[in-house]
Amino acid sequence: MEAMHCPLRIAGMGTQGITGVVRELARLPNEDNTLPRSILATALGIFYILLGLAVGVQLLIIIYQGHDLRSFQAGFLSICFLWAGVRAVLLLFPMQPTAYSFFLEWLPSTLEFATFSMLAMFCQYLTVERHSWQKLRLIW
């Protein structure tokens, strides 16, 4: 079977295949291949760094005092630290649209889902008899 070629016409670009359209849409608006950074994005990036530092200090306190690193608090703080770090990188260092940048844009929503899932597990832990939970926790 012959491969389908679907020519598209975009204003000012002539007729080209879908690969050419994707290449044209992925081009950056300015010629020096840098994205402009707004003041708001910089301020949010700095706040995410400060949040990451506060969470990092709390994680260091947990480690220093010898608490269990498999606790819910350590899990929440670890996810929050990763989330703040990824958000800061996304806001402070603009990237060209590549697979790596799409992965970094996708990762915070996955971390948020992990946080909400862990919150559901914590609520279940509070409502179920804790002795039976200790048996299940051995897997985790």
Side-chain angles (χ1 to χ4, degrees), residues 4-137:
M4 294 181 61
H5 178 70
C6 178
L8 298 173
R9 180 174 291 281
I10 296 178
M13 293 186 345
T15 303
Q16 58 188 357
I18 192 70
T19 307
V21 171
V22 171
R23 284 189 195 134
E24 288 297 322
L25 292 176
R27 284 191 184 191
L28 296 172
N30 48 10
E31 295 180 13
D32 60 351
N33 288 337
T34 59
L35 294 173
R37 192 174 8 171
S38 70
I39 295 173
L40 181 62
T42 304
L44 281 173
I46 291 170
F47 285 128
Y48 283 129
I49 288 174
L50 292 175
L51 175 67
L53 289 174
V55 169
V57 167
Q58 290 180 1
L59 278 171
L60 287 176
I61 289 171
I62 287 175
I63 292 170
Y64 177 73
Q65 293 182 353
H67 292 289
D68 188 14
L69 293 178
R70 295 179 302 154
S71 66
F72 284 108
Q73 183 179 6
F76 281 122
L77 290 174
S78 300
I79 291 173
C80 183
F81 185 76
L82 287 173
W83 181 83
V86 171
R87 296 291 295 187
V89 166
L90 284 174
L91 287 171
L92 293 176
F93 304 107
M95 294 180 247
Q96 295 181 4
T98 60
Y100 179 69
S101 67
F102 290 135
F103 174 74
L104 283 180
E105 290 173 3
W106 165 78
L107 190 59
S109 61
T110 304
L111 292 173
E112 290 168 9
F113 177 75
T115 302
F116 292 134
S117 299
M118 189 178 286
L119 183 63
M121 287 175 55
F122 181 70
C123 291
Q124 183 68 24
Y125 171 74
L126 291 178
T127 58
V128 174
E129 186 179 336
R130 291 192 173 121
H131 296 292
S132 64
W133 180 263
Q134 293 299 328
K135 295 175 187 175
L136 294 173
R137 192 167 173 211

